[in-house]
Amino acid sequence: MTDVHDKATRSKNMRAIGTRDTAIEKRLASLLTQAGVEFRVQDASLAGRPDFVVENYRCIIFTHGCFWHHHDCYLFKVPATRTDFWLDKIGKNVARDRRDIGALCAQGWRVLIVWECALRGRMKLNDTALTERLEEWICGGGQSAQIDVKGIHSLTVFPLHTG
């Protein structure tokens, strides 16, 4: 299947995708605020520039787009054109995520990834379910985790390689 846009149009469309204040970040910020959780956003002093830092609980929260971070869900589709380019690019994102999460955990932070599919799309969690998962994890003091359409799960943290 060929791309429906020419190269210039596709490039313009991809550049227009924001890296901060995205719809999924805004939804999560709203839920955290409603739950009374104090946070700061986009802290450049921390690995990966976390979307949300909850200092009182030593928590980091990332909102990950299912395509850009290769989540195994219905929102991730391997592109039909320039497949090698996109798989390489996405693979580098995943490697960077692992490195950043490892660094944060080594510094004593707990890390939560909230996947895009939990926040938007036909299978998204409703506000009550999502808020319950967030509060459970933030206040629970447990391991690093991820939230997707199936709920909350442990997050495998890879050791930091200093190679």
Side-chain angles (χ1 to χ4, degrees):
M1 174 182 214
T2 59
D3 196 344
V4 296
H5 297 295
D6 61 46
K7 190 173 181 178
T9 302
R10 174 62 59 212
S11 181
K12 179 184 174 198
N13 290 349
M14 296 309 282
R15 277 194 313 274
I17 297 171
T19 58
R20 55 186 310 160
D21 293 329
T22 63
I24 61 176
E25 288 176 18
K26 288 177 182 177
R27 179 163 181 230
L28 194 58
S30 174
L31 294 174
L32 290 169
T33 299
Q34 289 173 15
V37 175
E38 292 182 23
F39 60 89
R40 58 184 197 275
V41 296
Q42 300 281 331
D43 188 334
S45 71
L46 294 169
R49 188 185 285 255
D51 298 313
F52 303 96
V53 179
V54 183
E55 189 78 44
N56 294 343
Y57 292 91
R58 198 86 179 135
C59 298
I60 299 291
I61 303 173
F62 287 103
T63 54
H64 276 358
C66 295
F67 173 76
W68 295 106
H69 298 271
H70 196 167
H71 187 226
D72 185 23
C73 75
Y74 74 99
L75 291 179
F76 179 79
K77 305 260 186 296
V78 176
T81 59
R82 300 183 66 208
T83 302
D84 291 339
F85 167 82
W86 285 110
L87 291 178
D88 181 59
K89 182 173 186 61
I90 293 165
K92 288 176 182 173
N93 290 347
V94 171
R96 187 182 60 242
D97 293 341
R98 288 179 178 163
R99 182 197 68 216
D100 293 343
I101 291 167
L104 291 165
C105 290
Q107 295 170 3
W109 291 97
R110 293 184 306 126
V111 177
L112 177 68
I113 296 173
V114 180
W115 288 100
E116 174 186 18
C117 58
L119 295 162
R120 71 168 203 87
R122 70 180 186 271
M123 298 174 69
K124 72 182 178 197
L125 300 177
N126 65 42
D127 287 354
T128 301
L130 191 51
T131 301
E132 286 172 357
R133 301 310 172 287
L134 288 167
E135 289 177 333
E136 170 189 341
W137 181 79
I138 291 169
C139 298
Q143 298 278 8
S144 294
Q146 56 188 329
I147 297 174
D148 62 16
V149 295
K150 298 174 187 167
I152 191 164
H153 318 277
S154 283
L155 177 65
T156 303
V157 178
F158 298 89
L160 189 59
H161 296 290
T162 56

